[in-house]
Amino acid sequence: MERRARTYRGALALLVAGGVLMTGCSGSGTTNDSAAERGVAGSGGPAGGNPAPAAPGQREDGASAAEDGLARESAAPDYLSTFALDVDTASYGYARRTLDDGQLPAAGTVRPEEFVNSFRQGYERPKGNGFSVSVDGARPDASDWSLVRVGLATKAASDTGERPPAALTFVVDISGSMAEPGRLDLAKTSLGILTDELRDDDSVSLVTFSDEAETRLPMTRLRGNRTKVRDAVEAMEPADSTNVAAGVERGYEEAVEGHRKGATNRVVLLSDALANTGETDADAILERIGDAREEHGITLFGVGVGSDYGDALMERLTNKGDGNTTYIADETQARKVFVDQLPAHVELRARDAKAQVEFDRRTVEQFRLIGYEDRKVADEDFRDDSVDGGEVGPGHTVTALYAVRLREGASGHVATATVRWLDPKTRKAHEETGSVATGAIGGKLWDGAGARLQVTAVAAYFADTLRGGELPGTPALGELASRARKLASSTEDSSVEKLATMIEQADRIRNGGGDGPTDDGGEGEVG
């Protein structure tokens, strides 16, 4: 069956009013009940067998607006939110590099979910393969808005290093733009680190591209060949223009030719993604290698480099290429990706993972998903396993933050979150759910909720400010920086210290923050 692309929904309303949006924890509203047998592929309702709320353009009784002449605006508000999981962190890494260079990142390169997913969350891990589901939240002040956090986590990699062997095809950009310090030299350093970290039973091949693509090393077992691999990497020198399409196509050809049954087969693209020769459209590039992705299950891991970076192309390539992307600016970050996080990048826990959050219309007046704009999935496609989702490795966490306004006097159930994924080996579908009630999202965020929840809130507010958003209750950058400094001290987490530095840098450049929005008076999903 031909794989269908994710379908995206447009925004339903203008951003909402005054108030606040944050996250904290007052009692856990988490459950971790298995729902593996609750849904049938292709059914679109929320987990647990409850009827789905009416989708836009559809009445509660199922009749379409077109069929009975009703306008779309007459449809009941939509209380479902569905998206493909995303473990990317490139947006945060590139923002850090840009701020270090004394500039604000372009708004279009800022994705809040990638800022949030760059930090440890402390979620409980599942005992087996699959996901745990945690849902909590808090209020940042006395307003009627809360921040609700949906947290998903996979089991960490084995301490013994046990995993399937990896077959990795390195596709390296050697175009003229890669001659800048921090590009090809960093790519070579990264591959040298990775070669040292891989096991003897792993295999690698090397493809380079500028105006054309060339295979420098066919798929080679590392046992007894590490020097050969290092020599091939060190021999790379910058050349001419950037033909990403040629590199990706040749890389997938090599990956197919060197495909190993029972191994994790993955293409690793290292580039500044500044395509200027050949095909430059991500969808068209991936169309050429569709068979390799579908028939052989080869995934794409993008590693971005360079102060001038083609974020949009790399993001689209990895989203559509069943993979994920990160960004590295120096050797320290390279070691984090290729040493500390290596198992997450060479092994899979879940394929085509999607999440669906069902808000309770009895207690929730409005909600808004923060980020994930390019990962949204039509609600009815949640259990359609031919619709593309996200690939998630061991030890990953995925966090989705919602701004939620409760109805006046609301009490009881707020939302149920369900994650659905396919087992990487058997392709069997599984689900897990978690829920939250009003009592678990009404506590104070600042100085009341857990430190990790506060860090998540700071990262989300910072990202939204950088891209010109106006989330309810967003503190000024100076206040965010102060909170980040305090949290860095209490958590003894250097990554939070770096977040504080980034916020201070942005504050100096912007010299101020923004005001909140006004109430649009609507219901259901907004933004």
Side-chain angles (χ1 to χ4, degrees):
M1 176 170 54
E2 183 178 349
R3 187 176 207 57
R4 292 172 49 199
R6 290 193 306 271
T7 54
Y8 306 109
R9 299 181 314 181
L12 298 179
L14 296 174
L15 227 184
V16 289
V20 203
L21 162 191
M22 275 296 113
T23 315
C25 193
S26 75
S28 172
T30 298
T31 65
N32 200 28
D33 303 322
S34 174
E37 306 302 327
R38 293 183 180 178
V40 178
S43 66
N50 297 323
Q58 186 178 52
R59 292 205 321 248
E60 297 273 358
D61 60 7
S64 70
E67 289 172 339
D68 62 10
L70 294 175
R72 178 182 174 88
E73 287 76 9
S74 68
D78 181 9
Y79 280 81
L80 286 174
S81 172
T82 310
F83 58 94
L85 300 199
D86 188 2
V87 297
D88 293 355
T89 59
S91 175
Y92 180 75
Y94 185 46
R96 181 179 167 192
R97 167 66 181 266
T98 305
L99 288 166
D100 281 344
D101 290 342
Q103 297 178 331
L104 291 174
T109 68
V110 177
R111 293 179 290 278
E113 68 274 19
E114 297 186 24
F115 277 54
V116 168
N117 286 330
S118 296
F119 296 92
R120 292 198 297 272
Q121 298 289 339
Y123 301 138
E124 181 180 352
R125 301 281 180 177
K127 293 182 173 59
N129 290 332
F131 291 87
S132 62
V133 182
S134 304
V135 193
D136 59 10
R139 289 186 179 184
D141 63 18
S143 79
D144 53 356
W145 282 92
S146 295
L147 193 64
V148 172
R149 177 177 64 166
V150 176
L152 311 172
T154 56
K155 182 182 177 181
S158 169
D159 293 336
T160 63
E162 294 181 3
R163 60 167 172 81
L168 306 179
T169 299
F170 303 140
V171 179
V172 185
D173 185 349
I174 59 167
S175 62
S177 63
M178 290 290 285
E180 174 192 300
R183 297 195 185 196
L184 184 56
D185 58 337
L186 183 56
K188 291 166 71 171
T189 297
S190 299
L191 292 183
I193 293 170
L194 182 55
T195 300
D196 291 339
E197 289 298 313
L198 291 172
R199 301 187 318 219
D200 283 350
D201 61 341
D202 293 329
S203 303
V204 300
S205 60
L206 176 63
V207 171
T208 59
F209 67 92
S210 54
D211 54 340
E212 296 180 346
E214 177 186 358
T215 299
R216 299 291 188 98
L217 183 73
M219 194 63 74
T220 302
R221 293 285 179 102
L222 282 172
R223 185 186 301 275
N225 292 305
R226 292 183 191 270
T227 299
K228 183 178 181 180
V229 173
R230 292 191 191 96
D231 289 345
V233 169
E234 285 301 317
M236 295 187 299
E237 296 294 339
D240 301 313
S241 52
T242 310
N243 191 339
V244 174
V248 172
E249 188 170 6
R250 175 64 70 86
Y252 271 86
E253 289 173 356
E254 287 295 328
V256 169
E257 186 172 337
H259 184 270
R260 291 177 59 184
K261 187 176 181 180
T264 300
N265 295 269
R266 176 158 261 197
V267 170
V268 182
L269 173 63
L270 294 97
S271 175
D272 59 16
L274 299 175
N276 55 23
T277 300
E279 183 58 68
T280 60
D281 178 73
D283 291 355
I285 292 171
L286 290 169
E287 185 71 24
R288 298 183 181 186
I289 46 87
D291 290 344
R293 294 189 296 122
E294 299 302 326
E295 295 178 18
H296 299 281
I298 298 170
T299 58
L300 178 62
F301 176 40
V303 181
V305 296
S307 57
D308 190 12
Y309 168 57
D311 171 80
L313 177 60
M314 186 70 88
E315 170 77 0
R316 186 69 173 165
L317 281 172
T318 54
N319 280 355
K320 298 281 288 184
D322 298 333
N324 60 291
T325 183
T326 191
Y327 178 91
I328 55 176
D330 53 40
E331 185 174 340
T332 299
Q333 292 177 23
R335 289 192 175 278
K336 179 179 179 181
V337 170
F338 293 118
V339 178
D340 300 342
Q341 300 173 348
L342 179 61
H345 298 310
V346 299
E347 186 180 356
L348 285 179
R349 285 278 192 259
R351 281 188 178 271
D352 290 321
K354 310 184 195 88
Q356 185 170 84
V357 181
E358 179 191 7
F359 289 91
D360 194 324
R361 65 179 69 238
R362 295 168 300 182
T363 55
V364 175
E365 181 177 344
Q366 292 176 315
F367 68 93
R368 176 191 173 190
L369 175 60
I370 304 168
Y372 290 93
E373 285 86 0
D374 60 357
R375 304 292 284 174
K376 287 190 176 181
V377 174
D379 295 334
E380 62 270 19
D381 288 337
F382 177 57
R383 292 191 174 88
D384 184 343
D385 295 327
S386 70
V387 174
D388 193 20
E391 276 58 45
V392 183
H396 269 137
T397 60
V398 179
T399 299
L401 290 174
Y402 288 87
V404 176
R405 168 179 271 172
L406 297 179
R407 298 186 185 278
E408 186 175 356
S411 179
H413 176 256
V414 171
T416 295
T418 303
V419 58
R420 181 180 178 89
W421 73 95
L422 303 182
D423 182 277
K425 295 180 180 179
T426 67
R427 300 301 176 100
K428 181 180 178 181
H430 301 272
E431 293 184 7
E432 288 288 342
T433 65
S435 62
V436 69
T438 53
I441 66 171
K444 292 182 178 180
L445 172 68
W446 306 122
D447 303 318
R452 291 297 168 188
L453 190 52
Q454 294 184 55
V455 170
T456 300
V458 170
Y461 275 138
F462 179 42
D464 196 69
T465 299
L466 287 177
R467 66 176 186 170
E470 294 179 328
L471 288 173
T474 300
L477 288 177
E479 180 182 342
L480 281 179
S482 297
R483 293 195 180 282
R485 288 287 177 202
K486 183 176 180 180
L487 289 165
S489 177
S490 64
T491 60
E492 298 183 347
D493 188 339
S494 62
S495 65
V496 182
E497 190 75 26
K498 293 171 184 174
L499 172 63
T501 298
M502 288 175 63
I503 299 173
E504 290 166 349
Q505 290 170 325
D507 193 23
R508 285 194 294 270
I509 297 169
R510 285 175 55 111
N511 194 28
D515 296 323
T518 57
D519 189 1
D520 74 347
E523 292 189 356
E525 185 175 13
V526 296

